[in-house]
Amino acid sequence: MDHFHFKRGRLYAEDVNLSDVAAKVGTPFYVYSHATLARHIQAMESAFNGYPHVVCYALKANSNGAVLRLLAQAGMGADIVSGGELFRARKAGIPGQKIVYAGVGKTESEIRDALRARILMFNVESTEELREIDRVAGLMARRAPIALRVNPDIDAGTHPYITTGMKKYKFGMPVEEALEGYRLARRLRNVDVVGVHKHIGSQLTEMKPFLESAERLVNFVGRIRAEGMDIRYLDMGGGLGIRYDTETPPEPSEWLRNLIPVVRSTGCTLVIEPGRSIVGNAGMLVTRVLYRKRNDLKNFIIVDAGMNDLIRPSLYNAYHRIEPLVRKKRAIIRADIVGPICESGDFFAHDRDLPEVRRGDLLGVRSAGAYGFTMASNYNSRPRVAEVLVRGDRFHVVRRRETYSDLMAKEQVPSFLKPSRKRAAK
Ligand SMILES: Cc1ncc(COP(=O)(O)O)c(C=O)c1O
């Protein structure tokens, strides 16, 4: 059941009329559905069917503190890529033992923080990083649990910007180099080899690349074990796609039903890092129509949200369903739906058919719960929008809308630019 649904022609999130939220909170805003999040977590958890696992939710998809707390309380771990994400995960109550840490550019202070938090493992992306983790762990008299991120050189068949498991991209290490990396790790004094990691890309809609890369990884585990190393965790990354338009990605149940038999022979605990599949369809962006205009080529609908609020269409040419929050009998028009930012790339849809909306109408940009707010910026000095969590018939502002003062809160004016009394007197 979709918890974003129409009742008497009005779009609701659970039992909350989203037009009422707009009236109280203003626009634009992101809204997340508690019931949808809970259902997605449950679908993922139950799909393991008893197989030993850790679900490390990828914070980069949506790291709102309330959303994270909800996920933490449901038992989710975290996949992090920065010290900031570690901070958020810990604040939400996610135990270190359920945190995995990837990313090609971990700094010394980030490594220190992760060691202090006693995370489950570092997913290491280069041998230089491996040596650095060993060095820092030595200084702290700790042992660092590690997996190496293997780049299985598989085309995930998704947008190049969210494909990661091919040699031409910066992530992980090719298989042969990773083997050398594991040999090095065994010689280092302050690291413990505990796992193997891969993540080949995001928004995958087919099983095939998941299975091919999983088979390569399992094969690789055999080779490392043959050298006497103990691999306990197989981290298969995230990447499970969702439906934005007409895609038919595997359900979590199908994904894991196919993946587990490949992994089972290793006896390893299966780690997965889903982001989008947990939060993507649990959120939407609500925006208001400011103006309409047309030239002899096109209709434009100008809304109050921009690419700084949701960059996916501009960055990946991504499709989001867009519909009025109130259904009215109106003619269908074809239009570009664009934001107020001074960039031609500031659009949500090109040549989209939709009912002829008017100034003041509200539009819902669907499937915006993942890589929405987390990728937002203040470009054009636009305060970032509010985030709202709906649960049943109530809604809660879980991040207030930024103010103009917020925009400048961290800036400092050097004294030589401050108006002096002398200058002011002139
Ligand atoms: C290492 C890693 N794990 C997990 C994810 C989450 O991917 P998704 O949101 O597609 O599940 C990403 C996303 O880019 C990632 O880089």
Side-chain angles (χ1 to χ4, degrees), residues 14 30 47 117 145-146 162 172 174 183 186 226 251 253 272 297 311 342 352 375 413 416:
E14 303 187 26
Y30 277 98
I146 63 109
I162 46 177
R183 288 176 183 145
R186 192 175 41 184
E251 291 286 324
S253 55
I272 56 165
L297 207 62
I311 203 173
C342 298
R352 185 68 63 85
M375 294 180 96
V413 178
F416 73 88

Side-chain angles (χ1 to χ4, degrees), residues 58 60-61 79 81 102-103 125 149 162 164 171 197 199 201-204 237-241 273-277 370-371:
K60 61 179 80 64
D79 161 49
V81 289
E125 309 233 12
R149 178 168 179 177
I162 46 177
T164 55
F171 300 100
H197 175 237
H199 169 81
S202 196
Q203 184 54 14
L204 273 68
L240 184 62
E273 304 169 348
R276 190 188 309 270
S277 52
Y371 307 103

Side-chain angles (χ1 to χ4, degrees), residues 19-26 395:
S19 304
D20 292 344
V21 180
K24 292 199 179 104
V25 173
F395 74 88

Side-chain angles (χ1 to χ4, degrees), residues 381-412:
S381 283
R382 289 166 49 82
R384 277 179 295 175
V385 307
E387 291 176 286
V388 170
L389 178 65
V390 165
R391 180 164 175 253
D393 60 2
R394 308 208 37 191
F395 74 88
H396 309 264
V397 174
V398 290
R399 192 180 202 274
R400 68 162 172 79
R401 186 179 306 285
E402 289 179 356
T403 62
Y404 291 144
S405 311
D406 289 332
L407 290 178
M408 298 190 67
K410 293 175 192 68
E411 293 177 18
Q412 289 171 4

